[in-house]
Amino acid sequence: MNRVYIKTYGCQMNERDSDEVAARLRERGYSIVDSEHEADIVLINTCTVRDLPEQKAFGKAGRLQKFKRKNPDFILGIIGCMAQTRKESLLDRLPDLDLIIGTQKFHRVADHLDHLIATRRGQGPKPATLVDVEEEAGSQETISSQPPVGMAGKKVSAFVSIMQGCNMNCHFCHVPQARGKERSRSIPSIIEEVQQLVASGVKEVTLLGQIVTSYGRREIDFVTQKSPFVQLLEQLEALDGLERIRFTSPHPRGFKDDLIACYGRLKKLCEHVHLPAQSFSNAVLRAMNRPYTVERYCDLVDKLRAIQPEISFSTDIIVGYPGETEEDFALTSHYFDQIGFDMAFIFKYSERPNTFAATLKDSVPEAEKQRRNQLLLDILAKHSLKHHQSLIGRTQEVLVEGPAKRGDNMLVGRTRTYRKVIFEGQPRLIGQLVPVYIDTATTTSLGGSLVVREA
Ligand code: 5AD
């Protein structure tokens, strides 16, 4: 009765939350399994930022309700962002749910399952669905992805949550409702977590937060004109054994000169910035309530390139926001092409409940959203390939993550600019930084061979 399958639909933060729940459940004696068919308990952790993951989760949960008819002891729960925003109303579509647990209560999942199983054993009537979606002060400090001792395995790269919530009010976005107000962890608690990760073999961390450039704004003072986030980066730079630092996502407005300067002086900070733009039309940015201009965004890109010419950029773009005209989109595709992103997530606008944008007419027809989406994807493919081809004949530092999906003796790793590299090598190299000579390129990855250093 204690085999749990956790299905995650969503972003890195959702993945990290699921890892956290899994680690705590293991500590409590539950076993985590790889498929719903082996499980007594299924927890669905779902993103709510766009419509699609929610629809997938509804489909999955609907099918799993049938398991309950065959096995009345089967437990089905929805946890995370979708649970937080929809709360009890999930029961309208999924009446057989046993658990609904929000984003500030991940640390309580094990308690709730223990309770549910104990009440069932008493053979009483089916207990009411357990709903726990309250806000909890201090819950940001309960977020640590640290797996229990002995579980770490050979993880090379880890996500570290540094804050929760978001105080911006982008008109399209559902996240503040799912994650609440901004709350940051303390620097010592993050450093301690990273030290433990490094001791277990991790070489690279990606700091996670809805808007990492707002990290600690309320809780931590500026020191010598350095923001709390920059102070955190400096302390991580000083950690022995940690090789690479990444973060996602910054906000163009909060990306100030103290952070730009880090790219010239912090050796572990990787030359890749994921900087969500959403649009390159000032009119659309204003309509979205994104407080920066296209000029400010381009200026930021120029300054970063000046300080670190190798830097690679990725972004998020929404096409078909209410009122986005053909001219607005022409500006977006122009700047998208001019900046030359190596990677991007392009989203077709989808209406989210209780957002300001939901009060506007979803004016761009689906076929037109699709056309704009494809146009940007084509531009992206061109730039990815061009960038990849420019690396042919050069040697790149690669952090080896594991065996490649295809090919015997093939390994996969990433460059500092987050490009995927596939090359031949021994499994003992996993977890190491190695030089790889690049000799092939596609839009999605690089191929190469290990450079053998002279003895
Ligand atoms: N429709 C489409 N895309 C959205 N995103 C957020 N809300 C919406 C929405 N309503 C995208 C943004 C954000 C990313 C995580 O999801 O681009 O940066």
Side-chain angles (χ1 to χ4, degrees):
M1 195 50 229
N2 69 353
R3 295 167 303 169
V4 185
Y5 174 58
I6 305 180
K7 175 73 192 168
T8 311
Y9 296 100
C11 67
Q12 295 109 324
M13 201 170 285
N14 301 121
E15 295 285 349
R16 203 219 56 82
D17 292 336
S18 291
D19 284 352
E20 157 75 5
V21 171
R24 285 176 186 260
L25 288 175
R26 281 195 192 96
E27 271 176 330
R28 254 333 145 79
Y30 290 86
S31 62
I32 304 296
V33 295
D34 294 330
S35 133
E36 63 225 42
H37 301 287
E38 301 161 35
D40 312 300
I41 300 164
V42 175
L43 301 174
I44 303 180
N45 182 14
T46 304
C47 167
T48 186
V49 86
R50 287 176 302 281
D51 193 40
L52 193 65
E54 280 204 346
Q55 294 316 323
K56 282 189 193 158
F58 272 123
K60 181 73 149 184
R63 288 188 295 279
L64 285 168
Q65 287 196 129
K66 296 198 189 96
F67 281 41
K68 286 184 71 76
R69 278 165 222 153
K70 275 191 228 142
N71 171 10
D73 286 334
F74 182 79
I75 292 177
L76 179 60
I78 297 216
I79 63 174
C81 292
M82 179 165 151
Q84 188 69 45
T85 51
R86 295 195 179 248
K87 305 187 171 66
E88 288 87 351
S89 75
L90 283 171
L91 295 170
D92 298 345
R93 280 177 70 177
L94 300 166
D96 291 338
L97 282 183
D98 299 291
L99 283 169
I100 299 175
I101 303 181
T103 51
Q104 303 195 24
K105 300 290 183 172
F106 287 121
H107 58 294
R108 299 272 293 147
V109 171
D111 292 341
H112 289 323
L113 280 178
D114 284 354
H115 172 77
L116 211 63
I117 292 167
T119 10
R120 292 243 170 124
R121 285 220 178 97
Q123 300 293 318
K126 177 192 174 301
T129 307
L130 209 156
V131 183
D132 190 0
V133 292
E134 296 303 308
E135 286 186 15
E136 183 167 323
S139 63
Q140 73 275 19
E141 288 294 351
T142 65
I143 321 154
S144 135
S145 61
Q146 188 52 31
V149 180
M151 280 303 309
K154 262 237 159 260
K155 206 155 80 161
V156 176
S157 181
F159 293 119
V160 175
S161 177
I162 62 168
M163 64 194 296
Q164 285 284 309
C166 182
N167 288 7
M168 304 302 283
N169 181 24
C170 300
H171 283 165
F172 50 78
C173 189
H174 205 34
V175 165
Q177 295 166 56
R179 295 276 178 180
K181 289 273 169 222
E182 267 171 21
R183 290 103 58 211
S184 296
R185 294 175 64 190
S186 73
I187 295 183
S189 118
I190 297 168
I191 296 293
E192 192 188 324
E193 180 181 346
V194 176
Q195 272 168 333
Q196 286 169 1
L197 288 167
V198 168
S200 77
V202 163
K203 297 279 168 47
E204 172 184 273
V205 290
T206 303
L207 309 177
L208 294 181
Q210 255 75 42
I211 300 197
V212 291
T213 37
S214 300
Y215 169 76
R217 249 193 333 195
R218 254 155 237 89
E219 299 89 346
I220 304 166
D221 290 332
F222 274 61
V223 175
T224 56
Q225 292 175 350
K226 286 176 191 154
S227 64
F229 186 58
V230 168
Q231 295 168 42
L232 173 63
L233 292 178
E234 285 180 344
Q235 292 201 28
L236 289 168
E237 170 84 9
L239 282 189
D240 281 342
L242 181 66
E243 303 283 356
R244 289 177 170 189
I245 305 167
R246 303 182 186 280
F247 56 81
T248 193
S249 293
H251 193 289
R253 190 179 69 165
F255 213 116
K256 299 279 168 29
D257 288 347
D258 62 332
L259 180 54
I260 296 175
C262 289
Y263 286 86
R265 63 189 179 89
L266 301 186
K267 303 228 155 13
K268 296 179 183 174
L269 188 59
C270 289
E271 296 82 16
H272 168 234
V273 179
H274 181 72
L275 191 60
Q278 311 303 353
S279 169
F280 290 109
S281 150
N282 283 333
V284 173
L285 288 173
R286 255 193 318 276
M288 289 174 164
N289 199 29
R290 299 275 297 176
Y292 54 89
T293 59
V294 176
E295 292 70 29
R296 153 89 186 141
Y297 189 100
C298 292
D299 186 45
L300 202 49
V301 168
D302 290 346
K303 279 183 172 163
L304 283 161
R305 281 192 169 141
I307 205 160
Q308 184 47 263
E310 294 286 320
I311 207 156
S312 107
F313 287 97
S314 57
T315 194
D316 291 347
I317 300 280
I318 298 177
V319 295
Y321 186 73
E324 184 187 68
T325 63
E326 198 42 60
E327 291 75 38
D328 291 321
F329 178 69
L331 286 166
T332 295
S333 63
H334 168 77
Y335 284 102
F336 187 76
D337 192 18
Q338 198 181 56
I339 293 170
F341 292 98
D342 295 318
M343 253 178 299
F345 299 99
I346 322 275
F347 303 108
K348 289 180 281 179
Y349 170 73
S350 68
E351 195 174 294
R352 307 306 295 129
N354 305 319
T355 56
F356 178 80
T359 65
L360 308 171
K361 184 168 180 289
D362 191 356
S363 60
V364 182
E366 180 59 27
E368 180 57 19
K369 283 181 188 163
Q370 184 54 36
R371 189 188 73 83
R372 295 179 188 181
N373 188 63
Q374 191 55 48
L375 221 137
L376 295 186
L377 288 176
D378 293 344
I379 296 174
L380 177 65
K382 180 182 81 178
H383 284 289
S384 301
L385 185 62
K386 204 165 102 190
H387 178 223
H388 280 172
Q389 284 171 338
S390 75
L391 295 174
I392 291 178
R394 293 178 56 189
T395 297
Q396 296 282 298
E397 178 201 275
V398 173
L399 177 59
V400 188
E401 291 178 353
K405 283 204 192 98
R406 258 168 283 176
D408 289 342
N409 302 323
M410 298 305 277
L411 298 174
V412 63
R414 294 214 182 240
T415 65
R416 287 175 61 95
T417 53
Y418 208 61
R419 310 314 304 185
K420 195 192 276 180
V421 184
I422 296 167
F423 62 100
E424 195 175 331
Q426 299 294 321
R428 68 181 168 76
L429 296 177
I430 294 169
Q432 292 188 34
L433 290 167
V434 297
V436 176
Y437 179 82
I438 306 299
D439 54 22
T440 55
T442 69
T443 48
T444 52
S445 67
L446 298 162
S449 51
L450 198 64
V451 177
V452 184
R453 296 188 188 94
E454 298 285 322

